[in-house]
């Protein structure tokens, strides 16, 4: 956040305005599609064989069960999400969301204006007041 604030102040010193988009995904770690994550790890990052199988094993056969008023529900299979509280969970989430960087690049934005931290993303651009509409 300090980097974003510094960019805003620098732009103001140059008589520019800053357009800032913030994306804070609640429950983001719970939304990771296992099949899509494994596909990205294989295609985009070149994971094969044992490492990919290990991550697949890490994600598969996870279940959950709810307790309410002393009663338990059935056990359900988790098909989405990465384990929170693990060292690997945030890394897998970051690799899963790397596509955001590609979207930013395809729209002509500079990656140094994109700040990603876990499930929080910020992208900003600095323009003159006359260029706000096009930005």
């Amino acid at each position: 956040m300090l980097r974003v604030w510094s960019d805003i102040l620098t732009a103001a010193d140059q008589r520019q305005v800053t357009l800032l988009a913030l994306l804070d995904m609640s429950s983001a770690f719970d939304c990771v599609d296992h099949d899509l994550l494994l596909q990205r790890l294989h295609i985009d990052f070149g994971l094969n064989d044992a490492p990919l199988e290990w991550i697949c094993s890490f994600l598969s056969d996870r279940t959950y069960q709810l307790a309410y008023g002393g009663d338990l529900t059935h056990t359900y299979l988790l098909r989405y999400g990465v384990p929170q509280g693990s060292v690997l969970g945030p890394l897998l989430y970051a690799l899963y969301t790397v596509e955001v960087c590609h979207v930013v690049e395809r729209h002509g934005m500079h990656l140094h204006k994109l700040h990603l931290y876990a499930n929080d993303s910020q992208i900003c651009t600095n323009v003159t007041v006359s260029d706000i509409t096009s930005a």
Side-chain angles (χ1 to χ4, degrees):
M1 193 63 183
L2 288 175
R3 174 63 192 262
V4 173
W5 183 243
S6 175
D7 289 347
I8 292 170
L9 293 176
T10 300
D13 286 344
Q14 297 171 356
R15 304 180 82 45
Q16 293 183 326
V17 295
T18 300
L19 303 175
L20 176 64
L22 303 170
L23 176 62
D24 182 5
M25 295 182 58
S26 60
S27 302
F29 284 75
D30 297 331
C31 299
V32 174
D33 181 308
H34 294 170
D35 292 334
L36 184 56
L37 172 61
L38 293 169
Q39 178 184 357
R40 285 192 179 150
L41 291 174
H42 175 67
I43 294 171
D44 296 340
F45 298 101
L47 255 58
N48 293 307
D49 305 323
L52 191 61
E53 290 172 16
W54 184 82
I55 291 173
C56 182
S57 173
F58 179 71
L59 296 173
S60 63
D61 297 326
R62 294 176 50 237
T63 60
Y64 71 97
Q65 185 176 41
L66 301 176
Y68 180 75
D71 294 325
L72 293 174
T73 65
H74 295 286
T75 302
Y76 298 96
L77 184 64
L78 279 171
R79 297 176 189 212
Y80 299 94
V82 291
Q84 297 181 42
S86 69
V87 173
L88 198 54
L91 175 62
L92 291 174
Y93 179 78
L95 295 173
Y96 179 74
T97 59
V98 77
E99 182 64 24
V100 171
C101 298
H102 302 304
V103 171
V104 168
E105 285 181 321
R106 281 194 302 268
H107 285 84
M109 301 290 292
H110 300 286
L111 285 181
H112 71 276
K113 298 290 186 172
L114 174 66
H115 306 281
L116 303 172
Y117 180 75
N119 62 337
D120 295 320
S121 303
Q122 300 111 19
I123 185 164
C124 61
T125 187
N126 306 319
V127 295
T128 61
V129 172
S130 60
D131 290 333
I132 288 177
T133 304
S134 64

